[in-house]
Amino acid sequence: MASAPTPQEPRSALSRQLVISELLDTATALFAAKGYESTTLLDIAKALGISRPGLYNYVSSKEDLLTMLVEQVSQGLADVLEQLTARADLSPTQKLRDVVALLVRQRTQHPDQFRILDRSEAVLPEPIGSEHREAKRKILREVMAVIETGIERGEFRPVDARTAALSLLGMCNWVAWWFSRGSDVEETVATVTDLAQNMLLRPGVPGPDAETTRTVEEIRTLLDRLAPRR
């Protein structure tokens, strides 16, 4: 449990989930600026405005941060996508839009988290590395399943599902590298989602209308499930 808030540690009054989310954002920003090896837990604690002992309420080492990143960025996303793609009440087009919206929103809101994990992928310690790679394979399988179902139902053009899924994931992931802080997140999400739909939708097949398109609030609820549980 986190210690009671003190004047020196005002951030500890936040919920544990919010603190951990801020912790990951702060740590990954420092990793990007100073490098993983050169960043210390004391650096992270100072940037958060808490003491080093206070930081130990959440992590005991930098390796813990890598584990949390894998849990949130890859494993958490894989689990949410599995739940989403299993829904029988959504058409393949609706699922495609939801998948893209989830991916793009996460990349725009936490770009450093994705970039650091992407750069560190080859040197992740075990078993974290294996868990990360399996989560990536699961994400690819879920996106392929949506595309294959859309092709079978005549909503999507007959394309190679694996190539299309990799192209779609690449487009979404690249947002983390070019999105500028302060830019309009919703406009970016809407633009990339429309591009993904237009890439696959069969000519003459109407897209979701205003009543069937998922709301921003529903997408945010799904995204909230990606918060680390610590």
Side-chain angles (χ1 to χ4, degrees):
M1 293 292 293
S3 58
T6 67
Q8 292 76 27
E9 298 180 346
R11 294 177 189 266
S12 62
L14 298 172
S15 71
R16 188 175 186 83
Q17 179 176 318
L18 290 176
V19 172
I20 291 177
S21 179
E22 185 177 12
L23 167 60
L24 284 175
D25 282 338
T26 300
T28 49
L30 286 172
F31 293 160
K34 300 181 61 175
Y36 175 77
E37 294 299 333
S38 299
T39 303
T40 67
L41 288 181
L42 182 58
D43 293 331
I44 297 170
K46 286 181 177 179
L48 280 169
I50 64 175
S51 67
R52 184 165 177 171
L55 183 62
Y56 286 145
N57 288 315
Y58 306 99
V59 293
S60 59
S61 68
K62 289 191 295 183
E63 287 72 23
D64 285 349
L65 291 169
L66 290 179
T67 299
M68 292 164 67
L69 279 175
V70 169
E71 289 175 351
Q72 176 162 325
V73 177
S74 45
Q75 289 180 321
L77 182 60
D79 291 341
V80 170
L81 291 187
E82 182 178 38
Q83 296 170 21
L84 176 62
T85 57
R87 291 186 54 175
D89 60 319
L90 298 177
S91 70
T93 302
Q94 290 170 317
K95 291 178 182 179
L96 176 75
R97 293 185 65 87
D98 282 357
V99 166
V100 173
L102 280 168
L103 284 164
V104 175
R105 196 178 303 282
Q106 187 188 55
R107 302 318 185 224
T108 56
Q109 293 178 344
H110 306 284
D112 287 334
Q113 292 184 13
F114 176 79
R115 291 201 297 259
I116 290 297
L117 192 56
D118 190 51
R119 287 170 174 168
S120 306
E121 183 174 300
V123 295
L124 287 173
E126 294 298 339
I128 303 171
S130 295
E131 293 170 357
H132 173 64
R133 289 186 290 273
E134 176 53 34
K136 288 184 62 178
R137 288 191 289 267
K138 183 177 180 180
I139 290 171
L140 176 60
R141 289 195 300 269
E142 294 301 334
V143 176
M144 285 179 60
V146 171
I147 294 173
E148 288 167 348
T149 302
I151 294 171
E152 291 171 0
R153 295 186 181 181
E155 291 184 31
F156 298 160
R157 295 184 293 106
V159 297
D160 180 78
R162 187 173 188 276
T163 300
L166 288 169
S167 300
L168 188 150
L169 289 170
M171 178 173 65
C172 294
N173 290 339
W174 193 245
V175 172
W177 299 94
W178 59 255
F179 183 78
S180 300
R181 295 186 187 279
S183 299
D184 192 326
V185 172
E186 300 308 323
E187 181 179 352
T188 301
V189 170
T191 298
V192 179
T193 301
D194 286 343
L195 287 171
Q197 176 179 301
N198 293 336
M199 180 177 75
L200 290 171
L201 201 63
R202 194 183 188 100
V205 176
D209 58 31
E211 293 184 359
T212 59
T213 299
R214 306 292 294 281
T215 65
V216 171
E217 289 74 18
E218 288 176 307
I219 297 296
R220 284 175 175 162
T221 297
L222 287 170
L223 193 64
D224 285 343
R225 299 180 191 172
L226 300 183
R229 299 173 180 83
R230 289 260 168 173

